[in-house]
Structure formats: structure tokens, C-alpha cells
Amino acid sequence: MIELSTSLLRLLTSSNVYGYGPFFFGSFGLLAILYASFKWQRRTSLNWIKDAARAKKKFWKKLNVPLSHHTWMEDFSNGEQPSTCCVCLTSLVFPQSVGAHFPVHRCAVCGVAAHFFCSEFAAKDCKCVAQACFSHVKHHWSERWVNMDDNAEMSAFCFYCDEPCGVPFINDCPTWHCLWCQRRIHVKCHAIMSKESGDVCDLGPHRRLILSPLCVKENEENIGGRMLSSIKEGIRASSVRGKMKRKRHQGKAGKSHSVNEKLQDTTSTNSALKYMFNGFVGLTKSNNEKNIECSKVDGSVHSNSTHNESIQKTGGTVICGQVKKYSLVDVPQDAKPLLVFINAKSGGQLGHYLRRRLNMLLNPAQVFELSASQGPEVGLELFSNFQYFRVLVCGGDGTVAWVLNAIEKRNFESPPPVAVLPLGTGNDMSRVLQWGRGFSMVDGHGGLSTILNDIEHAAVTMLDRWKVNIREENSEYDQRKEQSKFMLNYLGIGCDAKVAYEFHVTRQENPQKFSSRFVNKLLYAKEGARDIVDRTCAELPWQVWLEVDGKGIEIPKDSEGLIVLNIGSYMGGVDLWQNDSEHDDDFSPQSMHDKVLEVVCVCGAWHLGKLRVGLSQARRLAQGKAIRIHTSSPFPVQIDGEPFIQQAGCLDITHYGQVFTLRRAPEEPRGHATAIMTEVLLDAECKGIINASQRKVLLQQIALQLS
């Protein structure tokens, strides 16, 4: 450092740069001022949060709000997270850890963060998702640890006095925010409001989508397993907080140093590391005391118990919390909550981050993470008491098909409509329903609050569902060789399915390489480039026969792939049928709810690449209600992006009903009218004016007229 400073001084005092000396000195001075301003801002913000925490601690017993334990998750990510530990109220970033990444614990429910050696001593102040024994929901006031604002200008005001809040640099009054309604209030205004109107919470702008905690009851087996551990944790927490308070008091008197001062002193690094090691030992001991019984499934560790503590490790993330079971009681007849399914392994694998954000905006009891051991059936069973509800699927096209198939099996009298938050690679279903191209695009246009608002005002539309009977040669004598799958988007056989199959195999062998949608598309393009050279499906016209409505269709000799379409998006947004273009044939425009399929052919992977960038068009072959494809040799096939190798045999595609989906209402008046008509029909069914079947017929006619 001294040598660098000497070199800079020599450079500044040399004759060659003498004229630039004031400029360099001015630049360094400006940087020093900016650095000092940043440090002052951070210190002021930290003191402001401490004031809010002290005020909450002072009034906490008077608030009488139901509380719950935090659900801690080890977070190694560098994304958005609080900068202050909620236990010791010090920085989460160690001065010596510049360039290194130490894990912190995040609460998967309320989003607060703590040092990994502080989290086990955190107060029991997380929001309680099950309040069936209470008469009304109370505001759960907390410090503003995480920014959940999609519109900062609108949410930066106290909802009681309408004055600005959140300005710690002018000694403004500390503020709280409610973990249910997301509103903010000055601490001084809260005392006045609680006397005037009490602390009753209406759940905020998303009240129609939030599962009210008054309807959620925690099962008895969950409660018994927590009583003893809660007493132990309370004793440990009180003793440790007392020690921490005495240390802080001694530091103020000059007898000792604070935790941050010790970390800043390079001579005490060993003490800090020892303290961190003791924290790990404490966590291990705490977990061992709770007799965790775990098993490893598909690279993840799941609890075999239904009420003990569980640890789930996926992609470097460890979730520590209670596996609880809930039941719904006293469900209002007019309630229409949102049921959320998240596939954490879809696309860029952002499911864990998304689940935490949705837990903070909604009731965690209505958010379910899909895995190999838990499908959509658990959430659908919990919501079976609701006559009307909506479903949000956070995942790719395969996840959407998974959930829609589960809904179909439940045989709901009034099936819930499904919206899509795209997490996959192609996200074709999300595109045709106007929910966006990917989660990054959604997050950049208003955030999750905007998406929830759009779901509430979305229009219900219909989507054709098709059954694919797969039969191999000589299967008349062996029923095991016959199977059925369901199609919502498209079916491909030939070169496109070959690329999808190779991509699928590579992802199964090396899942760690598929960490983002951008990387997925690059690897997909790599497989396509390889097929351009290999041309493994060049013999398709001589080994595949196509029948549409019982009539044979000739396949062009240069074709290397057939694609059967149900929606107007393929391979991440490519419109293969192209309704808006001029054609010299007599085919009808494509629609996703006309009970008709479209068939096109492509001339290899190079043709697919040209289609992707808009330099070519697919060749339109046929339209029909029943499609049959014969193969005389094994060929790769993909259904809604799920590839497999089809042996010599036959594929029969027939209509299998329609499912309800939610389409984002566009800004134009026609879109708002569609959403209003959807609400009118639902209200008419609730009042008994029409029944479920009549409502379905009317929705079908509206969808056809507005398509």
C-alpha cells in the first residue's frame, strides 16, 4: 500500500502530468466524499432500524399478536437481502470477508436475515399463518428489513397520516410495516391509530387472493412436537441475549469492544473464527436435540416425519424449519384465494427466491413447492373446501401440464382457472396467455405485486386438451406397450424432438450446468448445431406416415420433422402457423380452443434456426380433429417439451376436453370487458342463477368470439 501511494505521488508530481495534478486531487477528493457519505448513510440507516426494533420491543407485549417461529434458510446468494442481522442488529457483512461469501440465514416466511450463529437465538416474532381461534386478523408490525415495494412512490407514505416515511437521514420517526398488508406506519402514528380504530388488518390490496389465516388451523401433531423445543429455545435465547446486552453495555463504558470492532481488528481474527465455529456447533447440537430423521431423495434431503424439524438441501441451500400440516375451517362461501405451485428446478432455478417473495406477500400455507416426492395433489386437497379459487403455476410448460392434469383428475364441479408465472426455458404457454417470456421479464415490469393484481383481474379462457395414445408394433398382444399422455402445447417428431432429447439427456447428467435460461438456450443451440451436421432424421418422409381425419397426407421429401400444434407459440415464441401472414391455401386461422390441431413440417435443425430469427416459414400441411402418425423405426418424439424415443408403432391424437386458464387482460377496452364478463359469470354461478356447466358453455363462446 505504501509503495502504491509513493508511485501515485511520483506520478502526480512529475512534470509530464503536472497540469493534471488538480484534476487527480479533485477526483480523489470527490471519491473520498462519496465514500464518507455512503458510510454515513449506512450507519444512519442502521441506527434507524435499531430505533424501530427498540420501539417494537417496547410495544410488543401490548400488541398481542399471534406469533410463530422463523423458518431459517442458509442463503449463499449475492442477490437482494437485508444488510442487518435481526438478532444482534449489526452488519451481516464481515470486514475481512471482502471477496469471500459467508452464508447467512434467511427466514423463508418473512424474509429477515441473521448471522448463522445468531439465528437460533432469534425471537419468536414471525407472522403466524394459522389463526383459526381468533376473531379477526391483527396487523403484524415489523421493521422494514426487506424492500417489497413495486411502486416506491405510492408505498413511501404512512397509511395513517399520509406523510412521507422511510427518510432516516433527516431524523425522521422510525417506521414499521405490516407483514400481511405491506402497509407502512410511523411508530408515533401507531399509538394514535391503535387507540382510535385498533390494530385490525384487512390484508391489504391482495386480500381477495390471500388465504386468510383465520381459516387455517394447525393440526394437533404439529403443536405437541414443538412445546419442549420452544421452552429450550426460550431459555437459550434469553441467556444469550443477556450476554450480548452486557457486552454492548461494557463496550459503551470502555471496558470491552463490540463484535464489529473485534472483527475490524486484524489481530482478533482467530477469536472471530472461533465464535463462528461455536455457532456451527450450536446449530448442530440444536438439530441433534430434535431427533431429525431424514432420507436422501434425488439429491435432496427430506424429513420422514410430519411434525419434526426438517432440513432440505438443494443447490447449496439448506432449509431448516418445521414440516407442518394444516387444515381449513370456517371457509367463507365467497372466498376466492390463490393456490400457488412452484417448481424450483425449472429454467434458471429461481424457485426458492420466488417462494420466499410469495410467502411474504401471501399466506405461506397457500404456497407449495413441487418436487419428486410432492405433487400438486397436496395443495389441491387442502383447497378442496373452496368452491372457487385460482391457481398460479410458477414453472415451465411441463409444470403447467403437470398441474392441469392433476386438476383434471380431481373432477372439480367448477375447475379452478390457471395462470402462469414463467420460470422455464421456452415458456410457450405463458406467452400465448400473455404472462410474459420469463421471470426476469416479469420482475422488470412491476414485480410480483403487479402480477398478483393482474391475476385478480385476468379473464378466464379455454384451452383444448388432447390425448396421445402411444402404441408400439405388435402391442395388440401386450397391453404394457400401450400408454397415454396428454398434450396442451404441441407434439414434435423428428429433428426438433432429437434436439430436445439430447438437451434433456445432457441436463439429467449435468444439472449444475443449467443455472439460467440464457445458458439453457445456448446449450440448446449447441445441440441444434450438432444435428445440422448429423441430419439423423433425414429419412423421416420414408419412415413416417401422416393421417389427418382418416385421410393420408403426403410429407415433403425434404422434411426432417413434423410438428402438431395446439397453441400459437413454439420453441420460445415462434409462430409456426402465422395467422397474420398471407397464404395460398384454404386453412383456417389457428385457435387454442377450436378443437382443431394444425400440422406443419420443418426441413432440419438449420430450418429451425431460421424460423427462430424470422428468416423462414414452416410449411403448412393440414388441419384436423384427429391425427395419426405411423413410424416404421424408432424416432425421437417430444410432447410439450418432454422428449422420449418412440419405437416403431403409432401415435393417435384425439380431443380430450378443455381446461380453464387465465389470460392476462390487455390494456385495451376489449381486454377489460373480457375480465368483467368473467367476473359477472362467476358471480351469477355463486348466486345460483346459472350452474357450472352453463358457465363453462358461456365462457367457451366468449373465448371463441374474442379470439
Side-chain angles (χ1 to χ4, degrees):
M1 187 69 182
I2 297 177
E3 294 179 357
L4 178 61
S5 302
T6 305
S7 301
L8 288 175
L9 288 175
R10 289 177 180 176
L11 178 64
L12 293 175
T13 55
S14 63
S15 58
N16 295 333
V17 295
Y18 180 75
Y20 297 98
F23 172 75
F24 282 114
F25 280 116
S27 300
F28 282 125
L30 180 60
L31 291 175
I33 293 174
L34 292 176
Y35 178 76
S37 175
F38 171 76
K39 294 290 288 184
W40 174 77
Q41 176 184 356
R42 186 171 182 178
R43 184 169 57 253
T44 306
S45 299
L46 180 59
N47 293 333
W48 194 62
I49 293 177
K50 288 182 178 180
D51 291 340
R54 295 189 188 100
K56 187 187 76 172
K57 186 176 180 180
K58 180 179 179 181
F59 290 100
W60 195 251
K61 293 183 179 180
K62 299 180 181 179
L63 298 179
N64 194 24
V65 178
L67 305 174
S68 181
H69 292 276
H70 291 287
T71 303
W72 294 114
M73 174 181 66
E74 284 191 9
D75 190 3
F76 293 85
S77 64
N78 298 320
E80 177 189 3
Q81 65 180 15
S83 59
T84 308
C85 175
C86 68
V87 179
C88 63
L89 300 180
T90 59
S91 176
L92 289 170
V93 181
F94 296 124
Q96 283 91 352
S97 64
V98 178
H101 304 292
F102 288 99
V104 298
H105 280 180
R106 295 287 306 274
C107 179
V109 175
C110 64
V112 301
H115 297 112
F116 56 87
F117 48 79
C118 292
S119 59
E120 64 173 331
F121 309 116
K124 181 183 176 182
D125 58 356
C126 192
K127 69 178 181 182
C128 182
V129 304
Q131 304 180 22
C133 57
F134 292 84
S135 59
H136 57 269
V137 181
K138 287 189 175 183
H139 287 292
H140 191 118
W141 300 113
S142 178
E143 304 87 344
R144 193 71 172 181
W145 300 106
V146 180
N147 183 23
M148 292 294 295
D149 301 331
D150 295 330
N151 190 344
E153 294 182 358
M154 296 298 294
S155 61
F157 295 89
C158 173
F159 89 98
Y160 178 79
C161 66
D162 291 330
E163 295 294 329
C165 58
V167 189
F169 315 119
I170 57 176
N171 293 325
D172 192 15
C173 177
T175 63
W176 292 333
H177 93 287
C178 179
L179 297 180
W180 287 111
C181 65
Q182 309 302 323
R183 294 190 179 100
R184 304 178 73 172
I185 190 173
H186 293 114
V187 174
K188 62 181 181 181
C189 295
H190 171 263
I192 304 174
M193 184 203 69
S194 59
K195 293 180 180 179
E196 294 179 355
S197 58
D199 256 358
V200 179
C201 180
D202 63 355
L203 301 181
H206 304 310
R207 64 180 68 91
R208 296 182 63 186
L209 299 179
I210 296 177
L211 175 62
S212 173
L214 301 179
C215 302
V216 183
K217 179 181 179 182
E218 186 175 345
N219 291 350
E220 293 296 332
E221 60 264 26
N222 299 338
I223 302 174
R226 289 292 299 178
M227 292 182 63
L228 182 59
S229 60
S230 297
I231 297 174
K232 293 180 180 179
E233 290 174 3
I235 296 174
R236 288 200 302 266
S238 61
S239 61
V240 172
R241 288 196 198 98
K243 293 179 181 179
M244 295 171 66
K245 185 183 295 184
R246 287 194 294 271
K247 288 183 178 180
R248 286 197 292 267
H249 178 72
Q250 292 174 0
K252 292 179 180 179
K255 295 181 180 180
S256 63
H257 299 282
S258 64
V259 175
N260 278 345
E261 290 171 347
K262 287 183 179 180
L263 290 173
Q264 292 171 1
D265 187 3
T266 58
T267 61
S268 60
T269 304
N270 293 334
S271 300
L273 292 175
K274 182 178 179 181
Y275 188 34
M276 293 159 57
F277 176 76
N278 289 336
F280 275 125
V281 174
L283 283 176
T284 305
K285 181 179 179 181
S286 177
N287 289 334
N288 289 337
E289 288 176 354
K290 294 164 187 173
N291 298 324
I292 305 173
E293 184 180 2
C294 302
S295 63
K296 190 170 184 180
V297 182
D298 298 333
S300 301
V301 181
H302 303 274
S303 173
N304 290 334
S305 174
T306 58
H307 62 274
N308 287 337
E309 296 292 321
S310 72
I311 299 179
Q312 180 182 2
K313 185 172 183 179
T314 306
T317 301
V318 180
I319 301 176
C320 305
Q322 189 179 10
V323 179
K324 298 181 179 180
K325 283 189 176 182
Y326 301 101
S327 57
L328 301 183
V329 296
D330 300 329
V331 176
Q333 292 296 324
D334 58 345
K336 306 180 188 70
L338 181 68
L339 175 61
V340 182
F341 294 110
I342 302 175
N343 188 349
K345 295 184 178 180
S346 293
Q349 302 182 7
L350 298 173
H352 296 300
Y353 164 80
L354 184 61
R355 181 179 184 180
R356 181 170 64 242
R357 300 283 289 189
L358 288 171
N359 282 343
M360 297 164 68
L361 290 170
L362 304 172
N363 190 330
Q366 66 188 113
V367 181
F368 292 84
E369 186 170 329
L370 301 177
S371 64
S373 59
Q374 177 175 291
E377 294 78 12
V378 179
L380 294 174
E381 176 64 26
L382 179 66
F383 271 59
S384 59
N385 292 335
F386 287 103
Q387 186 175 2
Y388 308 104
F389 63 95
R390 297 187 172 192
V391 175
L392 172 63
V393 179
C394 306
D397 294 332
T399 308
V400 176
W402 186 9
V403 174
L404 286 173
N405 290 336
I407 293 175
E408 183 71 17
K409 293 178 181 178
R410 295 286 304 184
N411 294 322
F412 288 102
E413 181 181 0
S414 183
V418 176
V420 184
L421 199 159
L423 294 182
T425 303
N427 301 314
D428 293 294
M429 179 65 70
S430 174
R431 293 170 188 267
V432 298
L433 295 177
Q434 307 299 321
W435 293 110
R437 294 174 285 174
F439 177 64
S440 58
M441 300 298 298
V442 170
D443 199 43
H445 287 79
L448 290 176
S449 290
T450 302
I451 293 298
L452 294 177
N453 182 71
D454 290 340
I455 290 173
E456 186 175 351
H457 299 93
V460 177
T461 187
M462 310 301 296
L463 175 67
D464 288 327
R465 188 167 180 255
W466 301 85
K467 185 177 182 179
V468 183
N469 290 320
I470 304 171
R471 187 172 67 252
E472 298 181 11
E473 287 184 350
N474 302 322
S475 62
E476 294 84 359
Y477 307 103
D478 188 357
Q479 297 295 327
R480 292 175 298 177
K481 293 185 178 181
E482 296 185 11
Q483 58 176 324
S484 298
K485 295 179 179 291
F486 293 96
M487 184 190 78
L488 295 171
N489 297 356
Y490 41 73
L491 178 148
I493 179 171
C495 60
D496 72 307
K498 170 68 165 49
V499 175
Y501 182 77
E502 296 297 336
F503 176 83
H504 175 74
V505 171
T506 305
R507 181 163 59 178
Q508 293 293 324
E509 294 175 351
N510 303 288
Q512 67 278 1
K513 293 183 179 180
F514 299 81
S515 57
S516 68
R517 293 175 61 244
F518 178 73
V519 173
N520 292 354
K521 291 182 178 180
L522 287 180
L523 295 174
Y524 205 95
K526 176 184 175 182
E527 298 297 338
R530 182 182 301 173
D531 190 71
I532 292 175
V533 179
D534 296 341
R535 295 195 64 196
T536 54
C537 300
E539 300 296 323
L540 182 138
W542 293 273
Q543 297 179 352
V544 174
W545 297 268
L546 173 65
E547 292 183 17
V548 178
D549 292 338
K551 180 181 178 181
I553 304 296
E554 182 180 358
I555 301 175
K557 303 304 180 184
D558 59 346
S559 300
E560 295 186 25
L562 292 177
I563 303 174
V564 181
L565 302 169
N566 184 43
I567 63 174
S569 179
Y570 170 78
M571 201 170 61
V574 179
D575 184 6
L576 295 180
W577 196 251
Q578 295 188 340
N579 287 340
D580 298 331
S581 301
E582 294 184 0
H583 302 278
D584 56 358
D585 51 43
D586 297 329
F587 294 126
S588 303
Q590 183 186 28
S591 175
M592 63 181 184
H593 37 60
D594 59 355
K595 303 178 183 179
V596 175
L597 290 172
E598 289 74 30
V599 184
V600 300
C601 69
V602 293
C603 303
W606 176 250
H607 190 199
L608 288 173
K610 294 170 67 177
L611 289 171
R612 187 70 183 87
V613 296
L615 296 179
S616 183
Q617 293 183 354
R619 191 175 303 175
R620 312 203 308 181
L621 296 182
Q623 276 184 315
K625 298 183 177 180
I627 311 293
R628 173 171 289 181
I629 301 175
H630 300 268
T631 62
S632 60
S633 62
F635 263 91
V637 177
Q638 60 106 353
I639 300 177
D640 292 344
E642 303 297 329
F644 59 94
I645 299 297
Q646 167 65 24
Q647 301 299 321
C650 179
L651 300 173
D652 286 321
I653 309 174
T654 56
H655 192 259
Y656 197 76
Q658 293 180 317
V659 295
F660 288 100
T661 58
L662 286 172
R663 184 169 184 170
R664 186 187 233 164
E667 295 297 330
E668 60 186 23
R670 192 176 185 180
H672 292 294
T674 306
I676 292 173
M677 286 187 286
T678 300
E679 288 294 327
V680 170
L681 292 177
L682 181 59
D683 185 65
E685 184 182 356
C686 292
K687 295 179 179 179
I689 301 175
I690 59 176
N691 56 33
S693 60
Q694 292 172 331
R695 171 172 168 260
K696 183 176 182 179
V697 172
L698 291 173
L699 285 174
Q700 290 173 340
Q701 294 301 316
I702 293 174
L704 288 173
Q705 293 297 325
L706 296 178
S707 61

